[in-house]
Amino acid sequence: SLPGFAFSGPTTERGWDVTRTARAFAQVMRDLGYADYVASGGDFGSLIAPEVGRVDTAHVRAVHVNALVTLGSIDWRSADPLAGLTDKERAVVYRASASWQERSGYAAIQSTRPQTLAYALNDSPVGLLAWHLAWFVDYDPTTSDQTPVDLDAVLTDVTISWVTQTAGSAARLYKESGSAFAGGRVSGVPTAVAVFPGDAAIRTLAEQSGSLTLRGAYSLVGLRHDADLLQDLAGDTADAHLEAGEIGNRLDLLAEPAAHLAAGVAGEQ
């Protein structure tokens, strides 16, 4: 898990942004003895995995992301913010922007007052459950056609956050990493993107942001049973990089053991 999340937290100091997190993962991989590896991530991980490629370019052979964040690279102050986008891409922007306006409350408070939220979530199991259920219930891209999430899975997710007391440090990542949503420099590491139904990843924006170098593996995978989706994601990750010829015939995914992460964090401080 990421620093500040679950068994890799809580973090107790400021400064755990996307870049510092990426450096910690790179240190973990060095401590584990990997000469080269692949970085893969989704959602916030779609920002962190490319950053790992930037801070450890010599050892990251490829990057694979899903739930890619691209809308943050739009400069709405410019004369034509959507210049260069196709009609289809513009439609995605408008649809995603309308959805974001409706559902961005969590991000607004986590990026401005995460500590205030932390007191409430660490004090109330019911409040923490309700906060997490928003993701399990309200973010169904197919409007109620999603496979029901097993109740034990929901309770496990919430329990881990509760017993590790990481609701606050997890929320703080938003405050620490605001600038990361605008993208970053091109690392030159081959990068592939898997696009699932409901994702707002836009190729043109990704290329303009400088955060990704898309090289042919831009996949659309159907939303089916959760296990099938995860299998598709794993297969897409492997196929994208094997086809790129970047890592021979084996795939070393980014490892995240909490014990080694702690050692990596200590080493980079």
Side-chain angles (χ1 to χ4, degrees), residues 1-5 8-11 16 20-21 24-25 48 169-170 173 261 265:
S1 51
L2 301 177
F5 288 70
S8 296
T11 50
W16 279 105
R20 187 176 179 183
T21 297
F25 277 124
I48 294 171
S169 56
L173 180 61
L261 178 58
V265 170

Side-chain angles (χ1 to χ4, degrees), residues 154-255:
V154 175
L155 292 175
T156 298
D157 178 81
V158 176
T159 299
I160 290 174
S161 180
W162 177 256
V163 299
T164 58
Q165 298 185 41
T166 51
S169 56
R172 195 162 58 243
L173 180 61
Y174 278 79
K175 185 174 180 62
E176 299 282 3
S177 304
S179 62
F181 288 96
R185 64 177 177 82
V186 176
S187 66
V189 176
T191 301
V193 182
V195 183
F196 294 89
D199 286 355
I202 297 175
R203 176 189 287 268
T204 302
L205 290 179
E207 292 171 336
Q208 289 177 349
S209 76
S211 61
L212 293 172
T213 305
L214 299 176
R215 300 190 179 183
Y218 197 78
S219 306
L220 179 63
V221 187
L223 184 65
R224 300 188 297 278
H225 187 274
D226 289 347
D228 292 332
L229 186 148
L230 291 174
Q231 184 176 3
D232 284 342
L233 177 58
D236 187 80
T237 305
D239 291 345
H241 299 311
L242 290 176
E243 289 171 6
E246 294 294 330
I247 55 174
N249 55 10
R250 71 183 175 92
L251 181 67
D252 294 325
L253 291 176
L254 185 61

Side-chain angles (χ1 to χ4, degrees), residues 21-22 25-26 37 39 47-57 60 254:
T21 297
F25 277 124
Y37 58 95
L47 303 178
I48 294 171
E51 189 68 10
V52 175
R54 297 185 189 103
V55 303
D56 197 21
T57 305
V60 177
L254 185 61

